[in-house]
mmCIF file of all heavy atoms in Angstrom:
data_model
loop_
_atom_site.group_PDB
_atom_site.id
_atom_site.type_symbol
_atom_site.label_atom_id
_atom_site.label_comp_id
_atom_site.label_asym_id
_atom_site.label_seq_id
_atom_site.Cartn_x
_atom_site.Cartn_y
_atom_site.Cartn_z
ATOM 1 N N PRO U 1 -13.227 -11.519 13.721
ATOM 2 C CA PRO U 1 -14.676 -11.331 13.734
ATOM 3 C C PRO U 1 -15.214 -10.557 14.939
ATOM 4 O O PRO U 1 -16.263 -9.945 14.846
ATOM 5 C CB PRO U 1 -15.234 -12.748 13.699
ATOM 6 C CG PRO U 1 -14.110 -13.665 13.885
ATOM 7 C CD PRO U 1 -12.840 -12.907 13.709
ATOM 8 N N TRP U 2 -14.524 -10.542 16.050
ATOM 9 C CA TRP U 2 -15.015 -9.847 17.240
ATOM 10 C C TRP U 2 -14.595 -8.372 17.265
ATOM 11 O O TRP U 2 -14.984 -7.631 18.145
ATOM 12 C CB TRP U 2 -14.517 -10.546 18.504
ATOM 13 C CG TRP U 2 -13.025 -10.596 18.568
ATOM 14 C CD1 TRP U 2 -12.195 -9.621 19.045
ATOM 15 C CD2 TRP U 2 -12.185 -11.633 18.106
ATOM 16 N NE1 TRP U 2 -10.880 -9.996 18.909
ATOM 17 C CE2 TRP U 2 -10.847 -11.244 18.341
ATOM 18 C CE3 TRP U 2 -12.411 -12.877 17.524
ATOM 19 C CZ2 TRP U 2 -9.757 -12.037 18.001
ATOM 20 C CZ3 TRP U 2 -11.314 -13.653 17.194
ATOM 21 C CH2 TRP U 2 -10.028 -13.237 17.433
ATOM 22 N N SER U 3 -13.824 -7.933 16.285
ATOM 23 C CA SER U 3 -13.331 -6.555 16.251
ATOM 24 C C SER U 3 -14.156 -5.715 15.282
ATOM 25 O O SER U 3 -14.710 -6.229 14.308
ATOM 26 C CB SER U 3 -11.865 -6.562 15.806
ATOM 27 O OG SER U 3 -11.396 -5.243 15.665
ATOM 28 N N ASP U 4 -14.211 -4.412 15.525
ATOM 29 C CA ASP U 4 -14.908 -3.525 14.587
ATOM 30 C C ASP U 4 -13.974 -3.044 13.482
ATOM 31 O O ASP U 4 -14.347 -2.234 12.653
ATOM 32 C CB ASP U 4 -15.542 -2.346 15.321
ATOM 33 C CG ASP U 4 -14.526 -1.458 16.025
ATOM 34 O OD1 ASP U 4 -13.377 -1.901 16.199
ATOM 35 O OD2 ASP U 4 -14.887 -0.333 16.392
ATOM 36 N N THR U 5 -12.731 -3.567 13.468
ATOM 37 C CA THR U 5 -11.785 -3.235 12.404
ATOM 38 C C THR U 5 -11.203 -4.509 11.810
ATOM 39 O O THR U 5 -11.248 -5.577 12.418
ATOM 40 C CB THR U 5 -10.618 -2.366 12.926
ATOM 41 O OG1 THR U 5 -9.888 -3.093 13.901
ATOM 42 C CG2 THR U 5 -11.100 -1.051 13.500
ATOM 43 N N VAL U 6 -10.646 -4.380 10.621
ATOM 44 C CA VAL U 6 -9.835 -5.430 10.013
ATOM 45 C C VAL U 6 -8.427 -4.862 9.884
ATOM 46 O O VAL U 6 -8.233 -3.648 9.915
ATOM 47 C CB VAL U 6 -10.383 -5.876 8.637
ATOM 48 C CG1 VAL U 6 -11.763 -6.482 8.777
ATOM 49 C CG2 VAL U 6 -10.385 -4.744 7.640
ATOM 50 N N VAL U 7 -7.454 -5.740 9.731
ATOM 51 C CA VAL U 7 -6.067 -5.299 9.598
ATOM 52 C C VAL U 7 -5.574 -5.688 8.207
ATOM 53 O O VAL U 7 -5.737 -6.831 7.779
ATOM 54 C CB VAL U 7 -5.175 -5.934 10.685
ATOM 55 C CG1 VAL U 7 -3.723 -5.521 10.497
ATOM 56 C CG2 VAL U 7 -5.661 -5.541 12.067
ATOM 57 N N LEU U 8 -4.995 -4.731 7.517
ATOM 58 C CA LEU U 8 -4.408 -4.971 6.206
ATOM 59 C C LEU U 8 -2.891 -4.874 6.365
ATOM 60 O O LEU U 8 -2.383 -3.900 6.928
ATOM 61 C CB LEU U 8 -4.921 -3.934 5.212
ATOM 62 C CG LEU U 8 -4.677 -4.202 3.741
ATOM 63 C CD1 LEU U 8 -5.343 -5.507 3.302
ATOM 64 C CD2 LEU U 8 -5.187 -3.049 2.902
ATOM 65 N N ARG U 9 -2.185 -5.913 5.898
ATOM 66 C CA ARG U 9 -0.721 -5.959 6.000
ATOM 67 C C ARG U 9 -0.116 -6.145 4.608
ATOM 68 O O ARG U 9 -0.787 -6.569 3.697
ATOM 69 C CB ARG U 9 -0.285 -7.124 6.891
ATOM 70 C CG ARG U 9 -0.787 -7.014 8.308
ATOM 71 C CD ARG U 9 -0.251 -8.153 9.173
ATOM 72 N NE ARG U 9 -0.889 -8.167 10.472
ATOM 73 C CZ ARG U 9 -0.615 -7.336 11.475
ATOM 74 N NH1 ARG U 9 0.293 -6.421 11.312
ATOM 75 N NH2 ARG U 9 -1.257 -7.407 12.610
ATOM 76 N N ASP U 10 1.168 -5.863 4.502
ATOM 77 C CA ASP U 10 1.878 -6.005 3.223
ATOM 78 C C ASP U 10 1.112 -5.221 2.155
ATOM 79 O O ASP U 10 0.650 -5.768 1.159
ATOM 80 C CB ASP U 10 2.019 -7.479 2.859
ATOM 81 C CG ASP U 10 3.019 -7.707 1.740
ATOM 82 O OD1 ASP U 10 3.913 -6.868 1.542
ATOM 83 O OD2 ASP U 10 2.891 -8.727 1.041
ATOM 84 N N ILE U 11 0.978 -3.928 2.364
ATOM 85 C CA ILE U 11 0.059 -3.072 1.616
ATOM 86 C C ILE U 11 0.730 -2.433 0.404
ATOM 87 O O ILE U 11 1.836 -1.902 0.507
ATOM 88 C CB ILE U 11 -0.486 -1.956 2.530
ATOM 89 C CG1 ILE U 11 -1.128 -2.572 3.769
ATOM 90 C CG2 ILE U 11 -1.448 -1.055 1.781
ATOM 91 C CD1 ILE U 11 -1.396 -1.576 4.870
ATOM 92 N N TYR U 12 0.021 -2.469 -0.708
ATOM 93 C CA TYR U 12 0.440 -1.806 -1.942
ATOM 94 C C TYR U 12 -0.701 -0.930 -2.421
ATOM 95 O O TYR U 12 -1.865 -1.229 -2.168
ATOM 96 C CB TYR U 12 0.771 -2.836 -3.030
ATOM 97 C CG TYR U 12 2.016 -3.626 -2.731
ATOM 98 C CD1 TYR U 12 1.959 -4.749 -1.922
ATOM 99 C CD2 TYR U 12 3.244 -3.237 -3.241
ATOM 100 C CE1 TYR U 12 3.098 -5.472 -1.636
ATOM 101 C CE2 TYR U 12 4.387 -3.958 -2.958
ATOM 102 C CZ TYR U 12 4.311 -5.077 -2.149
ATOM 103 O OH TYR U 12 5.440 -5.787 -1.861
ATOM 104 N N TYR U 13 -0.359 0.143 -3.139
ATOM 105 C CA TYR U 13 -1.388 1.003 -3.723
ATOM 106 C C TYR U 13 -0.917 1.485 -5.091
ATOM 107 O O TYR U 13 0.270 1.417 -5.418
ATOM 108 C CB TYR U 13 -1.742 2.175 -2.796
ATOM 109 C CG TYR U 13 -0.585 3.076 -2.445
ATOM 110 C CD1 TYR U 13 -0.275 4.186 -3.226
ATOM 111 C CD2 TYR U 13 0.185 2.832 -1.316
ATOM 112 C CE1 TYR U 13 0.785 5.010 -2.901
ATOM 113 C CE2 TYR U 13 1.238 3.652 -0.981
ATOM 114 C CZ TYR U 13 1.532 4.747 -1.779
ATOM 115 O OH TYR U 13 2.587 5.562 -1.457
ATOM 116 N N PHE U 14 -1.864 1.966 -5.886
ATOM 117 C CA PHE U 14 -1.562 2.373 -7.262
ATOM 118 C C PHE U 14 -0.623 3.567 -7.322
ATOM 119 O O PHE U 14 -0.694 4.486 -6.507
ATOM 120 C CB PHE U 14 -2.847 2.751 -8.009
ATOM 121 C CG PHE U 14 -3.661 1.562 -8.439
ATOM 122 C CD1 PHE U 14 -4.919 1.365 -7.919
ATOM 123 C CD2 PHE U 14 -3.175 0.650 -9.347
ATOM 124 C CE1 PHE U 14 -5.691 0.288 -8.306
ATOM 125 C CE2 PHE U 14 -3.926 -0.444 -9.748
ATOM 126 C CZ PHE U 14 -5.190 -0.621 -9.225
ATOM 127 N N GLU U 15 0.239 3.535 -8.331
ATOM 128 C CA GLU U 15 1.133 4.647 -8.673
ATOM 129 C C GLU U 15 1.004 4.850 -10.174
ATOM 130 O O GLU U 15 0.614 3.933 -10.893
ATOM 131 C CB GLU U 15 2.566 4.276 -8.285
ATOM 132 C CG GLU U 15 3.625 5.278 -8.682
ATOM 133 C CD GLU U 15 3.473 6.615 -7.986
ATOM 134 O OE1 GLU U 15 3.971 6.781 -6.872
ATOM 135 O OE2 GLU U 15 2.826 7.509 -8.571
ATOM 136 N N ASP U 16 1.336 6.006 -10.640
ATOM 137 C CA ASP U 16 1.295 6.288 -12.072
ATOM 138 C C ASP U 16 2.326 5.399 -12.775
ATOM 139 O O ASP U 16 3.524 5.507 -12.503
ATOM 140 C CB ASP U 16 1.604 7.766 -12.313
ATOM 141 C CG ASP U 16 1.470 8.183 -13.759
ATOM 142 O OD1 ASP U 16 1.331 7.311 -14.641
ATOM 143 O OD2 ASP U 16 1.506 9.396 -14.018
ATOM 144 N N ALA U 17 1.876 4.519 -13.639
ATOM 145 C CA ALA U 17 2.765 3.563 -14.317
ATOM 146 C C ALA U 17 3.815 4.269 -15.161
ATOM 147 O O ALA U 17 4.891 3.722 -15.398
ATOM 148 C CB ALA U 17 1.947 2.591 -15.168
ATOM 149 N N ARG U 18 3.547 5.489 -15.599
ATOM 150 C CA ARG U 18 4.528 6.220 -16.410
ATOM 151 C C ARG U 18 5.754 6.621 -15.601
ATOM 152 O O ARG U 18 6.809 6.881 -16.164
ATOM 153 C CB ARG U 18 3.885 7.461 -17.026
ATOM 154 C CG ARG U 18 2.762 7.111 -18.014
ATOM 155 C CD ARG U 18 2.015 8.323 -18.441
ATOM 156 N NE ARG U 18 1.283 8.831 -17.264
ATOM 157 C CZ ARG U 18 0.415 9.816 -17.296
ATOM 158 N NH1 ARG U 18 0.159 10.432 -18.417
ATOM 159 N NH2 ARG U 18 -0.207 10.190 -16.204
ATOM 160 N N LYS U 19 5.629 6.641 -14.277
ATOM 161 C CA LYS U 19 6.760 7.003 -13.419
ATOM 162 C C LYS U 19 7.693 5.820 -13.145
ATOM 163 O O LYS U 19 8.782 6.002 -12.638
ATOM 164 C CB LYS U 19 6.256 7.514 -12.059
ATOM 165 C CG LYS U 19 5.521 8.816 -12.118
ATOM 166 C CD LYS U 19 5.113 9.212 -10.709
ATOM 167 C CE LYS U 19 4.310 10.469 -10.677
ATOM 168 N NZ LYS U 19 3.899 10.804 -9.303
ATOM 169 N N MET U 20 7.242 4.615 -13.461
ATOM 170 C CA MET U 20 7.998 3.407 -13.137
ATOM 171 C C MET U 20 8.682 2.858 -14.385
ATOM 172 O O MET U 20 8.226 3.069 -15.497
ATOM 173 C CB MET U 20 7.062 2.346 -12.553
ATOM 174 C CG MET U 20 6.205 2.834 -11.408
ATOM 175 S SD MET U 20 7.135 3.330 -9.980
ATOM 176 C CE MET U 20 7.056 1.842 -9.045
ATOM 177 N N ASN U 21 9.748 2.112 -14.183
ATOM 178 C CA ASN U 21 10.480 1.490 -15.287
ATOM 179 C C ASN U 21 10.219 -0.010 -15.344
ATOM 180 O O ASN U 21 11.133 -0.796 -15.517
ATOM 181 C CB ASN U 21 11.993 1.731 -15.117
ATOM 182 C CG ASN U 21 12.350 3.186 -15.269
ATOM 183 O OD1 ASN U 21 11.668 3.911 -15.980
ATOM 184 N ND2 ASN U 21 13.400 3.605 -14.608
ATOM 185 N N THR U 22 8.985 -0.418 -15.189
ATOM 186 C CA THR U 22 8.667 -1.844 -15.145
ATOM 187 C C THR U 22 8.032 -2.365 -16.434
ATOM 188 O O THR U 22 7.887 -3.561 -16.591
ATOM 189 C CB THR U 22 7.699 -2.136 -13.994
ATOM 190 O OG1 THR U 22 6.497 -1.398 -14.188
ATOM 191 C CG2 THR U 22 8.323 -1.787 -12.650
ATOM 192 N N ASN U 23 7.639 -1.485 -17.341
ATOM 193 C CA ASN U 23 6.969 -1.866 -18.586
ATOM 194 C C ASN U 23 5.666 -2.623 -18.343
ATOM 195 O O ASN U 23 5.267 -3.452 -19.139
ATOM 196 C CB ASN U 23 7.897 -2.693 -19.487
ATOM 197 C CG ASN U 23 9.073 -1.882 -19.960
ATOM 198 O OD1 ASN U 23 8.947 -0.679 -20.226
ATOM 199 N ND2 ASN U 23 10.218 -2.512 -20.059
ATOM 200 N N LEU U 24 5.019 -2.369 -17.220
ATOM 201 C CA LEU U 24 3.717 -2.958 -16.927
ATOM 202 C C LEU U 24 2.644 -1.894 -17.076
ATOM 203 O O LEU U 24 2.920 -0.693 -16.966
ATOM 204 C CB LEU U 24 3.681 -3.505 -15.495
ATOM 205 C CG LEU U 24 4.621 -4.659 -15.177
ATOM 206 C CD1 LEU U 24 4.615 -4.939 -13.685
ATOM 207 C CD2 LEU U 24 4.224 -5.899 -15.948
ATOM 208 N N ASP U 25 1.409 -2.332 -17.335
ATOM 209 C CA ASP U 25 0.295 -1.393 -17.454
ATOM 210 C C ASP U 25 -0.067 -0.780 -16.114
ATOM 211 O O ASP U 25 -0.646 0.297 -16.050
ATOM 212 C CB ASP U 25 -0.937 -2.101 -18.021
ATOM 213 C CG ASP U 25 -0.712 -2.589 -19.440
ATOM 214 O OD1 ASP U 25 0.112 -1.979 -20.154
ATOM 215 O OD2 ASP U 25 -1.345 -3.576 -19.827
ATOM 216 N N VAL U 26 0.249 -1.483 -15.031
ATOM 217 C CA VAL U 26 -0.109 -1.067 -13.680
ATOM 218 C C VAL U 26 1.166 -0.942 -12.861
ATOM 219 O O VAL U 26 2.049 -1.784 -12.963
ATOM 220 C CB VAL U 26 -1.030 -2.121 -13.025
ATOM 221 C CG1 VAL U 26 -1.319 -1.774 -11.586
ATOM 222 C CG2 VAL U 26 -2.321 -2.280 -13.804
ATOM 223 N N ALA U 27 1.253 0.100 -12.055
ATOM 224 C CA ALA U 27 2.393 0.247 -11.146
ATOM 225 C C ALA U 27 1.859 0.369 -9.723
ATOM 226 O O ALA U 27 0.857 1.040 -9.483
ATOM 227 C CB ALA U 27 3.209 1.478 -11.518
ATOM 228 N N LEU U 28 2.515 -0.303 -8.813
ATOM 229 C CA LEU U 28 2.130 -0.265 -7.408
ATOM 230 C C LEU U 28 3.336 0.130 -6.567
ATOM 231 O O LEU U 28 4.473 -0.124 -6.937
ATOM 232 C CB LEU U 28 1.618 -1.624 -6.951
ATOM 233 C CG LEU U 28 0.365 -2.140 -7.644
ATOM 234 C CD1 LEU U 28 0.064 -3.549 -7.180
ATOM 235 C CD2 LEU U 28 -0.818 -1.250 -7.358
ATOM 236 N N VAL U 29 3.051 0.713 -5.414
ATOM 237 C CA VAL U 29 4.086 1.098 -4.461
ATOM 238 C C VAL U 29 3.750 0.443 -3.134
ATOM 239 O O VAL U 29 2.579 0.402 -2.738
ATOM 240 C CB VAL U 29 4.122 2.634 -4.284
ATOM 241 C CG1 VAL U 29 5.083 3.034 -3.184
ATOM 242 C CG2 VAL U 29 4.470 3.306 -5.584
ATOM 243 N N LYS U 30 4.775 -0.058 -2.442
ATOM 244 C CA LYS U 30 4.551 -0.634 -1.119
ATOM 245 C C LYS U 30 4.418 0.502 -0.112
ATOM 246 O O LYS U 30 5.221 1.414 -0.077
ATOM 247 C CB LYS U 30 5.684 -1.555 -0.718
ATOM 248 C CG LYS U 30 5.442 -2.236 0.619
ATOM 249 C CD LYS U 30 6.452 -3.348 0.818
ATOM 250 C CE LYS U 30 6.371 -4.003 2.156
ATOM 251 N NZ LYS U 30 5.129 -4.594 2.537
ATOM 252 N N ARG U 31 3.384 0.427 0.689
ATOM 253 C CA ARG U 31 3.138 1.434 1.718
ATOM 254 C C ARG U 31 4.225 1.351 2.782
ATOM 255 O O ARG U 31 4.637 0.281 3.186
ATOM 256 C CB ARG U 31 1.773 1.200 2.361
ATOM 257 C CG ARG U 31 1.392 2.235 3.379
ATOM 258 C CD ARG U 31 -0.044 1.998 3.823
ATOM 259 N NE ARG U 31 -0.436 2.950 4.835
ATOM 260 C CZ ARG U 31 -0.372 2.727 6.148
ATOM 261 N NH1 ARG U 31 0.038 1.569 6.589
ATOM 262 N NH2 ARG U 31 -0.745 3.655 6.989
ATOM 263 N N GLY U 32 4.690 2.516 3.236
ATOM 264 C CA GLY U 32 5.680 2.578 4.292
ATOM 265 C C GLY U 32 6.790 3.574 4.005
ATOM 266 O O GLY U 32 7.459 4.033 4.912
ATOM 267 N N GLY U 33 6.984 3.922 2.744
ATOM 268 C CA GLY U 33 8.044 4.849 2.385
ATOM 269 C C GLY U 33 7.596 6.299 2.294
ATOM 270 O O GLY U 33 8.369 7.168 1.898
ATOM 271 N N GLU U 34 6.367 6.576 2.679
ATOM 272 C CA GLU U 34 5.837 7.934 2.596
ATOM 273 C C GLU U 34 6.492 8.821 3.653
ATOM 274 O O GLU U 34 7.164 8.351 4.561
ATOM 275 C CB GLU U 34 4.311 7.921 2.810
ATOM 276 C CG GLU U 34 3.534 7.165 1.769
ATOM 277 C CD GLU U 34 3.521 5.653 1.984
ATOM 278 O OE1 GLU U 34 4.061 5.180 3.000
ATOM 279 O OE2 GLU U 34 2.991 4.955 1.113
ATOM 280 N N VAL U 35 6.282 10.117 3.542
ATOM 281 C CA VAL U 35 6.894 11.096 4.438
ATOM 282 C C VAL U 35 6.592 10.791 5.904
ATOM 283 O O VAL U 35 7.458 10.906 6.767
ATOM 284 C CB VAL U 35 6.424 12.527 4.079
ATOM 285 C CG1 VAL U 35 6.931 13.532 5.087
ATOM 286 C CG2 VAL U 35 6.878 12.891 2.684
ATOM 287 N N HIS U 36 5.374 10.360 6.199
ATOM 288 C CA HIS U 36 5.020 10.090 7.594
ATOM 289 C C HIS U 36 5.442 8.689 8.045
ATOM 290 O O HIS U 36 5.246 8.322 9.192
ATOM 291 C CB HIS U 36 3.528 10.319 7.829
ATOM 292 C CG HIS U 36 2.627 9.441 7.017
ATOM 293 N ND1 HIS U 36 2.523 9.522 5.652
ATOM 294 C CD2 HIS U 36 1.790 8.454 7.395
ATOM 295 C CE1 HIS U 36 1.647 8.632 5.214
ATOM 296 N NE2 HIS U 36 1.185 7.966 6.254
ATOM 297 N N GLN U 37 6.058 7.897 7.172
ATOM 298 C CA GLN U 37 6.594 6.565 7.439
ATOM 299 C C GLN U 37 5.650 5.688 8.264
ATOM 300 O O GLN U 37 5.951 5.285 9.389
ATOM 301 C CB GLN U 37 7.945 6.672 8.132
ATOM 302 C CG GLN U 37 8.977 7.334 7.274
ATOM 303 C CD GLN U 37 10.333 7.427 7.943
ATOM 304 O OE1 GLN U 37 10.448 7.361 9.159
ATOM 305 N NE2 GLN U 37 11.357 7.571 7.139
ATOM 306 N N PRO U 38 4.485 5.355 7.689
ATOM 307 C CA PRO U 38 3.529 4.519 8.427
ATOM 308 C C PRO U 38 4.062 3.104 8.632
ATOM 309 O O PRO U 38 4.877 2.615 7.848
ATOM 310 C CB PRO U 38 2.304 4.508 7.520
ATOM 311 C CG PRO U 38 2.859 4.714 6.154
ATOM 312 C CD PRO U 38 4.034 5.641 6.335
ATOM 313 N N ALA U 39 3.592 2.480 9.692
ATOM 314 C CA ALA U 39 3.921 1.070 9.923
ATOM 315 C C ALA U 39 3.261 0.247 8.820
ATOM 316 O O ALA U 39 2.370 0.728 8.119
ATOM 317 C CB ALA U 39 3.406 0.641 11.293
ATOM 318 N N ASP U 40 3.658 -0.985 8.687
ATOM 319 C CA ASP U 40 3.178 -1.807 7.575
ATOM 320 C C ASP U 40 1.716 -2.212 7.712
ATOM 321 O O ASP U 40 1.102 -2.606 6.746
ATOM 322 C CB ASP U 40 4.047 -3.053 7.431
ATOM 323 C CG ASP U 40 3.712 -3.828 6.172
ATOM 324 O OD1 ASP U 40 3.451 -3.194 5.137
ATOM 325 O OD2 ASP U 40 3.693 -5.057 6.227
ATOM 326 N N ALA U 41 1.135 -2.109 8.885
ATOM 327 C CA ALA U 41 -0.256 -2.523 9.054
ATOM 328 C C ALA U 41 -1.183 -1.316 9.060
ATOM 329 O O ALA U 41 -0.827 -0.237 9.499
ATOM 330 C CB ALA U 41 -0.426 -3.300 10.355
ATOM 331 N N MET U 42 -2.392 -1.525 8.543
ATOM 332 C CA MET U 42 -3.413 -0.484 8.512
ATOM 333 C C MET U 42 -4.694 -1.079 9.077
ATOM 334 O O MET U 42 -5.127 -2.146 8.655
ATOM 335 C CB MET U 42 -3.651 -0.034 7.065
ATOM 336 C CG MET U 42 -4.740 0.994 6.908
ATOM 337 S SD MET U 42 -5.148 1.329 5.162
ATOM 338 C CE MET U 42 -3.664 2.096 4.591
ATOM 339 N N ARG U 43 -5.289 -0.397 10.031
ATOM 340 C CA ARG U 43 -6.585 -0.825 10.568
ATOM 341 C C ARG U 43 -7.678 -0.057 9.837
ATOM 342 O O ARG U 43 -7.600 1.150 9.690
ATOM 343 C CB ARG U 43 -6.677 -0.546 12.061
ATOM 344 C CG ARG U 43 -5.772 -1.408 12.874
ATOM 345 C CD ARG U 43 -6.050 -1.248 14.357
ATOM 346 N NE ARG U 43 -5.158 -2.072 15.124
ATOM 347 C CZ ARG U 43 -5.328 -3.361 15.355
ATOM 348 N NH1 ARG U 43 -6.380 -3.975 14.870
ATOM 349 N NH2 ARG U 43 -4.466 -4.045 16.062
ATOM 350 N N VAL U 44 -8.694 -0.789 9.406
ATOM 351 C CA VAL U 44 -9.802 -0.198 8.656
ATOM 352 C C VAL U 44 -11.102 -0.579 9.344
ATOM 353 O O VAL U 44 -11.333 -1.771 9.625
ATOM 354 C CB VAL U 44 -9.818 -0.701 7.189
ATOM 355 C CG1 VAL U 44 -10.948 -0.049 6.413
ATOM 356 C CG2 VAL U 44 -8.473 -0.466 6.522
#
């Protein structure tokens, strides 16, 4: 509460479900495997 940011951890974001082999309507990817290899936490 005393900070002007919040921290998001264990982050997932949408991916095109057609690219995944999960047979789910929604596909998510865990943040961290991108080219810039971000740490698992995000300040917003």
Side-chain angles (χ1 to χ4, degrees):
W2 59 85
S3 175
D4 62 344
T5 62
V6 297
V7 177
L8 194 60
R9 298 184 189 283
D10 194 24
I11 305 166
Y12 291 84
Y13 59 90
F14 284 116
E15 175 64 86
D16 185 349
R18 296 171 292 187
K19 293 181 183 178
M20 308 297 264
N21 293 331
T22 60
N23 295 324
L24 296 171
D25 295 333
V26 175
L28 298 174
V29 174
K30 183 168 175 58
R31 183 173 178 265
E34 297 81 4
V35 174
H36 61 293
Q37 297 181 339
D40 188 39
M42 177 188 293
R43 291 189 181 278
V44 182

